[in-house]
Amino acid sequence: PVIITGSVDTFTPGTYILTYTATDSQNNSSSITRTVIVENNQNPTITLTGDNPFILSQGNNYIEPGVSAIDALGNILQVTSTNNINKDVLGIYTVTYLTTDSFGNSATATRTVNVTDDDGPNISLNGSNPMTIELGSNYVEPGATATDNIDGNVNVVITGNVNSFLPGTYIKTYTATDSSSNITTATRTI
């Protein structure tokens, strides 16, 4: 019979030696060895926490919502990241994550960051609010202006009617929309 000594732990990378020994009835023995190399060729796993894609309001700093990585053996790894985010310019950007384990296996992951304009225009009403006019007089619309943090001056759409020959309370609505479809409204009571 051949007696095998030594062991191989397939869950732990390394070099293992197995020895095979045979002894005959005259007590003569001989041995031979086998070298077994257990390698880790599995790439690590990167896990992103938080939203992907991530929405970032223009002008705000990007704060990493979280990332972690482990190797095939369950060891926690360091993760490095790079990004091309310009918080002041609307657009779609990428954060790239990289990790490498002690065996040279590496993994990458990405997060998409959308820099968006979430702020609507600011509307300033010209004239008084509320406004009082005399019965039978002409209503002269004082107007309004609107400015946006991205678009600058934007148009104001005015809706609502005033019948100066019928006493009552009337509402005029002022609406401004920026290029990111953010809508702001204001009202004037007459």
Side-chain angles (χ1 to χ4, degrees):
V2 176
I3 297 172
I4 304 170
T5 57
S7 63
V8 177
D9 181 356
T10 59
F11 292 100
T12 305
T15 302
Y16 299 89
I17 305 295
L18 296 176
T19 303
Y20 302 82
T21 304
T23 304
D24 64 16
S25 61
Q26 301 298 312
N27 229 12
N28 299 311
S29 63
S30 64
S31 298
I32 191 168
T33 60
R34 180 190 315 263
T35 300
V36 178
I37 300 171
V38 177
E39 295 181 337
N40 175 8
N41 293 322
Q42 297 180 19
N43 290 333
T45 301
I46 297 176
T47 303
L48 301 180
T49 54
D51 294 335
N52 188 19
F54 183 89
I55 305 300
L56 179 66
S57 293
Q58 185 181 31
N60 292 336
N61 290 324
Y62 173 73
I63 299 173
E64 175 59 48
V67 62
S68 61
I70 58 170
D71 66 12
L73 304 174
N75 298 311
I76 297 173
L77 302 175
Q78 294 292 326
V79 180
T80 59
S81 67
T82 58
N83 70 69
N84 63 348
I85 299 170
N86 184 341
K87 67 178 183 172
D88 298 317
V89 177
L90 300 177
I92 299 172
Y93 300 93
T94 302
V95 180
T96 302
Y97 304 91
L98 172 67
T99 190
T100 303
D101 66 17
S102 59
F103 301 97
N105 302 307
S106 62
T108 60
T110 59
R111 185 189 314 269
T112 300
V113 177
N114 295 321
V115 176
T116 61
D117 173 19
D118 297 330
D119 297 326
N122 291 319
I123 297 176
S124 298
L125 299 179
N126 299 329
S128 58
N129 185 27
M131 175 184 277
T132 303
I133 62 171
E134 290 294 322
L135 182 66
S137 65
N138 287 330
Y139 170 73
V140 178
E141 174 60 55
T145 58
T147 57
D148 184 67
N149 61 336
I150 303 298
D151 300 328
N153 293 329
V154 293
N155 289 332
V156 177
V157 175
I158 304 170
T159 57
N161 293 314
V162 175
N163 184 346
S164 60
F165 296 100
L166 181 63
T169 301
Y170 300 90
I171 302 293
K172 297 284 273 190
T173 302
Y174 303 81
T175 305
T177 305
D178 67 15
S179 61
S180 296
S181 298
N182 297 309
I183 300 172
T184 303
T185 60
T187 60
R188 185 192 317 268
T189 302
I190 299 126

